[in-house]
Amino acid sequence: MRITNHPILNFPEDRKRLTFVFNGKKILAFEGDSIASALHAAGYRMLSQSLKLHKPRGFFCAIGKCSSCEMEVDGVPNVKTCLEPVQEGMVVKSQLGWGTFPVRPKKRVYHRVKIPVKQVEVAVVGAGPAGLSAAIEAARHGARALLLDENHRIGGQLIKQTHMFFGSKEHYAKVRGIDIGTKLAEQCRDLAVEIAADCSVIGYFHPHELAAIEANRLLKVQAQKVIIACGASENMLSFEGNDLPGVYGAGGIQTLMNVYGVMPARRILMVGAGNIGVIVSYQLLQAGVDVVAVVEAAPTIGAYQVHASKLVRCGTPILTSHSIKQAYGVESVEGVTIVRLNENWEEIPGSEQELDVDAVCLAVGLNPAAELFFQAGCKMSFIPELGGNVVWHDENMQTSVEGLYVAGDVAGIEEASSAMLEGRLAGLSAVESLKTTTTVIQQQKEQIRQGLHALRTGPFGEKIRIGEKKMREANPA
Amino acid sequence: MSQYLRDGVLDLDDFELPSKQRREKGRVIIIECVQEIPCNPCSEICPRNAITIKGDITNIPQVDFEKCNGCGICIANCPGLAIFSVNESLGQEMAEVGIPYEFKPLPETGDSVDLIDRAGQVVGTGTVKRVLQPKSYDRTALIYLMVPRELSLQIRFFRKSLKSGNKKKS
């Protein structure tokens, strides 16, 4: 089902139509759809099967991280259908097991291919709020910058944030996330930042060489400074039935409804009453989905009161000290059981309640995507307040590897507003060490640090303040 | 512990209300933003400087209810959709409530609606007085409702009523 009447977004009905074949059936899609979004719109939520037990699988993340949407596309197995755009006449098949290439060469032939090399001054990995901001600052101060992102559209998570942001004017307060993404992308283009979308960075090699995959070919990027702002991935929660199609991550749901205009469900249960949980619940209501309830295991709501209040007055209750016990269904979610928890977070027997829903959304936190830093040999620490393993960095966002910088959620889970500031700080620091420092750069850096400090004051910034302190105290040597 | 931390529902004691006299003089805003969060557009947008956030950006906005004339600009510009207006100068029976609204379809002037309180419960019926959505409101609409006067501080949402003679729209 498609969203037709949305208060914030516009999904015109006269978009170009495409058709492709899925398991022998003709499927109608709109131009810009991914294979997975078109299949969802046509009512198919089961995309693959687990390798050993052949249990049904649907996508969880919709950003190419969970790999439970892999299918055979035009004869090529293991294609992440959540990222792959639909093309006219494509042949898509469900895949059993590992998948095989249909044609095998008779003789093993190895070709010596010349790997293309790109040389830049500053390479930025990840085109979300942090990466875009970093590239903008680097380019503004005269560096040749390259921005790499594995997604088709740049903007990271901003492209699905329909709500107005908090902060002050300098942090794009009261501008909707989607519009901030557009503005930052425009600035990048104006500043002649080279943009490589659909390009996954798969490795970091000393000193400052990146391996990337672009159009199924290896690409080498040689940079003088590297800024990694590759974000985070969503946490899973363990409960019976959590692998059923119809159990989505909050970001995956947002992608479906706010990027592709597809109704993700009719009735849904939200798990987690942090900011993401309640904001996405509200966005689900705006898309026309019935959010039956929000369950939160903690005794109190973690989200800002204003976000919680605007959801609750629409009739969606937030049930604190409650959790999901089970999701059930044959091919996808057909219902859930929730349960009340006591003060020790244990299930209270007999308090189970059945809810009639066809989907579950998990908003139970994020985990920094720190793999590239591990590979680069950076000093890492496990800091729960920042979401998991984070890379040590100094006040300039530089890691323990000289010339390698970090920004955004991968430096510690926070808000997009602070990600933009961290990105700018990393971009300025990189350009400063590349060229020469100026009083203008120094003043800007000081302002940004003050801005970050301001965002982190107050009770909601406490976790970040503790996390940052722990990270700083970890010795980089 | 405050109840709103458990269920998201604010109590009238949780925030500052304009006095009865002020409400009876005409339209005035109510800000239902009780936590220290980093946000200040309301204080920047107010043309009469009636809203101030002193010191840190995380401080709670303070309203000078005498300066406020209820123009409503802040209502559509609050990222938390946490500002409302009330007007009790319209007689003994009815009062007017202003609500930010981000759903489709928009109601029309004259529509009968079910009136909903902070907890999401239907507590009465009213009518839509005016629907504003200029470009500067950036897709947030400002809806003015006429509500029974005793509910003037309770109503925070509405839904088109199904019973009374609303025209059916596809």
Side-chain angles (χ1 to χ4, degrees):
Chain A
M1 251 206 312
R2 298 276 177 177
I3 299 166
T4 48
N5 198 5
H6 194 282
I8 311 297
L9 299 165
N10 185 21
F11 299 110
E13 302 233 7
D14 55 359
R15 281 173 286 171
K16 193 178 161 196
R17 281 161 200 267
L18 303 169
T19 47
F20 67 102
V21 179
F22 168 63
N23 288 348
K25 290 189 198 84
K26 237 185 179 177
I27 305 284
L28 196 67
F30 284 117
E31 190 169 41
D33 260 330
S34 68
I35 296 171
S37 74
L39 287 175
H40 266 78
Y44 297 96
R45 298 205 287 178
M46 180 179 146
L47 303 176
S48 67
Q49 294 181 21
S50 65
L51 292 174
K52 282 185 187 163
L53 302 175
H54 305 295
K55 291 176 83 175
R57 287 282 180 271
F59 78 68
F60 177 72
C61 75
I63 49 171
K65 296 198 197 279
C66 72
S67 58
S68 61
C69 65
E70 290 182 344
M71 293 185 171
E72 188 186 303
V73 178
D74 287 338
V76 179
N78 302 326
V79 174
K80 289 177 181 173
T81 55
C82 70
L83 294 182
E84 192 68 24
V86 171
Q87 277 162 27
E88 181 64 36
M90 256 180 174
V91 179
V92 178
K93 283 182 190 157
S94 308
Q95 174 185 320
L96 265 183
W98 299 101
T100 43
F101 280 96
V103 194
R104 282 205 145 167
K106 288 189 186 113
K107 221 171 84 185
R108 283 177 190 241
V109 190
Y110 295 94
H111 296 283
R112 196 170 271 281
V113 273
K114 207 167 173 251
I115 298 168
V117 180
K118 257 188 192 158
Q119 285 176 326
V120 291
E121 288 179 310
V122 178
V124 182
V125 182
L132 285 165
S133 308
I136 288 166
E137 288 302 337
R140 185 179 285 154
H141 290 90
R144 262 187 316 116
L146 170 67
L147 185 57
L148 304 122
D149 194 287
E150 65 185 348
N151 292 285
H152 193 58
R153 271 177 71 182
I154 63 166
Q157 304 305 299
L158 288 175
I159 65 172
K160 28 189 145 153
Q161 309 306 333
T162 50
H163 61 284
M164 291 184 268
F165 276 36
F166 289 146
S168 67
K169 227 194 272 164
E170 304 82 63
H171 315 130
Y172 291 99
K174 83 183 171 62
V175 182
R176 296 181 191 279
I178 37 172
D179 300 329
I180 299 176
T182 314
K183 277 183 190 165
L184 294 178
E186 270 167 20
Q187 282 182 46
C188 274
R189 281 180 203 113
D190 292 347
L191 289 162
V193 172
E194 190 182 345
I195 294 168
D198 282 322
C199 182
S200 304
V201 172
I202 56 163
Y204 170 91
F205 302 93
H206 287 289
H208 307 327
E209 202 165 89
L210 298 170
I213 304 285
E214 192 177 36
N216 288 328
R217 293 276 307 268
L218 187 63
L219 166 75
K220 241 199 248 182
V221 177
Q222 288 169 344
Q224 293 177 42
K225 306 284 167 191
V226 171
I227 301 168
I228 297 180
C230 55
S233 52
E234 279 189 78
N235 290 342
M236 230 314 155
L237 189 69
S238 67
F239 57 91
E240 199 180 328
N242 68 356
D243 60 341
L244 273 175
V247 177
Y248 301 105
I253 284 268
Q254 281 188 309
T255 306
L256 256 192
M257 65 181 176
N258 294 347
V259 177
Y260 297 113
V262 174
M263 285 272 272
R266 286 189 180 83
R267 288 164 59 79
I268 197 166
L269 171 75
M270 177 65 70
V271 181
N275 272 331
I276 295 181
V278 294
I279 289 174
V280 175
S281 295
Y282 193 77
Q283 292 177 359
L284 280 158
L285 294 179
Q286 289 178 310
V289 179
D290 184 4
V291 185
V292 176
V294 179
V295 289
E296 166 61 58
T300 56
I301 295 169
Y304 293 165
Q305 162 265 322
V306 289
H307 282 315
S309 295
K310 80 178 188 190
L311 176 68
V312 171
R313 66 179 181 250
C314 298
T316 296
I318 300 178
L319 308 173
T320 45
S321 295
H322 276 73
S323 188
I324 181 168
K325 190 181 166 82
Q326 186 195 359
Y328 48 84
V330 182
E331 269 200 2
S332 64
V333 174
E334 290 163 26
V336 293
T337 310
I338 61 168
V339 65
R340 204 145 50 84
L341 306 179
N342 66 17
E343 60 271 28
N344 300 319
W345 301 50
E346 295 154 346
E347 291 177 6
I348 299 175
S351 70
E352 290 86 357
Q353 211 183 320
E354 305 281 308
L355 296 179
D356 170 26
V357 296
D358 59 357
V360 177
C361 182
L362 300 184
V364 289
L366 300 164
N367 185 16
E371 295 85 349
L372 287 170
F373 295 106
F374 273 110
Q375 198 212 347
C378 294
K379 159 86 183 170
M380 309 292 295
S381 353
F382 181 78
I383 300 173
E385 289 84 355
L386 298 179
N389 282 305
V390 287
V391 61
W392 180 90
H393 55 272
D394 64 14
E395 286 212 309
N396 294 315
M397 306 307 292
Q398 186 168 229
T399 67
S400 57
V401 171
E402 205 198 322
L404 178 59
Y405 297 80
V406 62
D409 270 358
V410 69
I413 306 301
E414 226 180 317
E415 303 278 331
S417 315
S418 33
M420 287 187 272
L421 290 179
E422 285 185 348
R424 292 185 57 204
L425 194 54
L428 287 169
S429 305
V431 90
E432 188 179 38
S433 65
L434 186 71
K435 299 185 184 286
T436 153
T437 186
T438 61
T439 43
V440 177
I441 292 185
Q442 282 174 350
Q443 276 169 3
Q444 281 182 343
K445 279 171 63 178
E446 196 39 49
Q447 272 174 9
I448 293 168
R449 289 200 187 104
Q450 283 169 9
L452 273 172
H453 179 77
L455 286 177
R456 291 167 180 165
T457 49
F460 284 93
E462 194 187 1
K463 228 166 100 177
I464 302 298
R465 294 198 300 271
I466 294 172
E468 285 277 303
K469 191 160 170 271
K470 278 192 185 173
M471 186 273 300
R472 284 279 143 74
E473 281 165 3
N475 187 358
Chain B
M1 192 201 315
S2 308
Q3 183 58 28
Y4 70 82
L5 289 172
R6 292 186 194 277
D7 59 14
V9 183
L10 287 180
D11 200 75
L12 285 182
D13 307 332
D14 288 327
F15 49 89
E16 201 187 346
L17 277 176
S19 65
K20 195 159 183 293
Q21 291 96 306
R22 175 63 191 86
R23 302 198 304 263
E24 285 176 348
K25 262 205 291 193
R27 199 182 282 159
V28 63
I29 60 158
I30 298 173
I31 301 190
E32 303 193 1
C33 173
V34 304
Q35 287 173 331
E36 294 175 21
I37 58 174
C39 191
N40 70 3
C42 55
S43 67
E44 298 222 339
I45 201 94
C46 178
R48 298 169 75 91
N49 294 320
I51 309 174
T52 46
I53 291 173
K54 287 189 198 102
D56 286 341
I57 187 180
T58 45
N59 284 340
I60 293 167
Q62 305 289 327
V63 187
D64 183 334
F65 294 115
E66 295 309 315
K67 274 192 193 168
C68 171
N69 68 347
C71 72
I73 290 176
C74 58
I75 300 179
N77 276 282
C78 168
L81 305 185
I83 310 183
F84 306 86
S85 72
V86 64
N87 181 354
E88 295 179 357
S89 71
L90 306 167
Q92 287 309 304
E93 298 293 309
M94 303 298 273
E96 176 211 84
V97 174
I99 288 174
Y101 191 71
E102 289 191 343
F103 289 93
K104 278 269 181 83
L106 283 181
E108 284 174 24
T109 305
D111 280 351
S112 309
V113 290
D114 289 335
L115 301 171
I116 296 174
D117 69 3
R118 292 181 182 82
Q121 303 298 319
V122 176
V123 288
T125 55
T127 51
V128 175
K129 185 184 172 195
R130 231 179 140 192
V131 178
L132 295 175
Q133 199 182 29
K135 219 170 167 214
S136 61
Y137 284 7
D138 187 17
R139 289 159 280 182
T140 305
L142 173 47
I143 313 287
Y144 287 109
L145 302 172
M146 290 306 285
V147 311
R149 184 153 166 171
E150 67 274 14
L151 296 175
S152 68
L153 298 176
Q154 307 300 331
I155 303 310
R156 287 297 170 256
F157 199 63
F158 64 91
R159 211 162 274 138
K160 248 189 174 176
S161 32
L162 297 172
K163 336 173 208 178
S164 46
N166 280 322
K167 278 177 287 173
K168 257 203 177 163
K169 266 183 288 178
S170 59

